[in-house]
Amino acid sequence: MSLNARGIRTFEKRKAIFSWLSNSGANICFLQEPTVLKKSKISRENIGEEKMFFLHGRSHSRGVLVLVRDSLDFQLRSIKVDSQGRHVFLEFSIQESPYFLLNINTPNKCSEQCIFFKVISEILKVARTEQDYPIIVGGDFNVILDPDLDGRGGNKRKEDSAKLVQDMPPDFDLVNIWRIRNPTASRFTWHQKTPLVQRRLDYWLVSDSLQDEKISAEIKTSIKRPFGNNPFN
């Protein structure tokens, strides 16, 4: 599960979001833009029985968080983080089966996105050189890959950075799992009300070998205001 939290500084919002995530039944949750102040205390009482791998960003729009349910047989092998708070990369195993997990929060500007996606590709390249583990990449990519299906309203121009994302699947044997499951559907993970603009900016890219597993790929409406109303996928 992946969700752009847009800040969880207050106790009420943290409690609402973590309770909602816990009740969702997901074993691993990606959050982007959690923006927790370091003085804010996140305790077991707030988040339930989950492990946390958290990376503070340097501004209100950065930071990533990975939550892992304690009941999951999860063993962390290594963790790599971005100094700018844009990604966290985990090497781990579940029931002794190894995986690579990457939660990303992409910049807004196209030029910065191009640099960012090249860095992400290099991380995956190095990881695959060392170990041939299945890869799961998820989070806020901040680009539309198919203007016809992934955008509605506004300027749906496809940015140069989108090509770098589309190059990742063949380079690393990844598939856009939601699009594979929904080849002609239009669902959105970000919207603006006035004027109405809708975009699918959040994706899961997973190793093709994982298609043999029972993977569910859905886009749902998330927790309602005042604790956030953006859908996730």
Side-chain angles (χ1 to χ4, degrees):
M1 177 179 291
S2 178
L3 173 70
N4 190 315
R6 297 181 182 178
I8 51 174
R9 287 190 173 110
T10 67
F11 170 80
E12 291 79 11
K13 186 170 183 179
R14 290 199 300 274
K15 183 177 180 181
I17 285 183
F18 288 127
S19 175
W20 179 79
L21 290 172
S22 181
N23 292 334
S24 73
N27 287 321
I28 298 177
C29 300
F30 286 8
L31 267 68
Q32 301 85 42
E33 298 183 26
T35 28
V36 178
L37 294 176
K38 292 186 179 181
K39 65 181 180 182
S40 298
K41 182 180 180 183
I42 304 180
S43 66
R44 293 281 179 171
E45 140 181 48
N46 303 134
I47 67 173
E49 294 301 318
E50 280 83 35
K51 303 181 184 74
M52 285 201 312
F53 302 99
F54 179 75
L55 176 60
H56 282 279
R58 293 186 179 178
S59 78
H60 70 281
S61 63
R62 300 180 189 178
V64 285
L65 171 67
V66 176
L67 288 172
V68 180
R69 194 178 294 272
D70 259 2
S71 58
L72 187 66
D73 185 8
F74 178 98
Q75 297 294 323
L76 180 66
R77 299 184 177 190
S78 68
I79 180 169
K80 299 176 182 177
V81 298
D82 168 42
S83 62
Q84 298 298 313
R86 289 294 185 185
H87 61 76
V88 57
F89 179 79
L90 306 179
E91 178 185 347
F92 69 99
S93 62
I94 297 177
Q95 296 179 343
E96 299 185 355
S97 296
Y99 299 89
F100 290 127
L101 195 68
L102 181 58
N103 179 9
I104 70 172
N105 181 20
T106 308
N108 292 321
K109 296 180 180 179
C110 181
S111 59
E112 295 178 358
Q113 290 175 350
C114 290
I115 295 171
F116 178 77
F117 289 132
K118 288 176 182 177
V119 169
I120 294 301
S121 292
E122 186 61 26
I123 289 171
L124 296 177
K125 180 180 178 181
V126 171
R128 288 299 294 268
T129 300
E130 295 174 351
Q131 301 288 349
D132 190 19
Y133 296 160
I135 297 171
I136 301 171
V137 183
D140 186 351
F141 285 69
N142 235 332
V143 296
I144 55 173
L145 301 182
D146 186 325
D148 294 328
L149 295 177
D150 296 333
R152 182 174 296 167
N155 181 1
K156 298 189 293 181
R157 183 180 58 146
K158 187 174 179 180
E159 300 288 354
D160 293 340
S161 52
K163 185 179 185 304
L164 295 174
V165 178
Q166 291 175 318
D167 285 343
M168 285 186 203
D171 285 348
F172 303 106
D173 198 26
L174 304 177
V175 295
N176 183 343
I177 190 64
W178 187 87
R179 181 55 69 200
I180 291 288
R181 297 279 195 273
N182 304 273
T184 61
S186 289
R187 294 292 305 278
F188 308 107
T189 64
W190 178 89
H191 74 271
Q192 170 187 289
K193 286 188 175 180
T194 308
L196 181 62
V197 178
Q198 296 173 299
R199 299 286 186 264
R200 182 163 84 101
L201 304 176
D202 302 77
Y203 305 95
W204 288 104
L205 303 181
V206 307
S207 290
D208 186 49
S209 61
L210 293 178
Q211 288 203 71
D212 296 332
E213 308 292 334
K214 293 181 179 179
I215 295 179
S216 173
E218 303 176 75
I219 296 177
K220 299 179 180 179
T221 300
S222 78
I223 187 168
K224 298 295 185 181
R225 287 185 177 179
F227 303 117
N229 71 334
N230 56 312
F232 63 88
N233 73 320

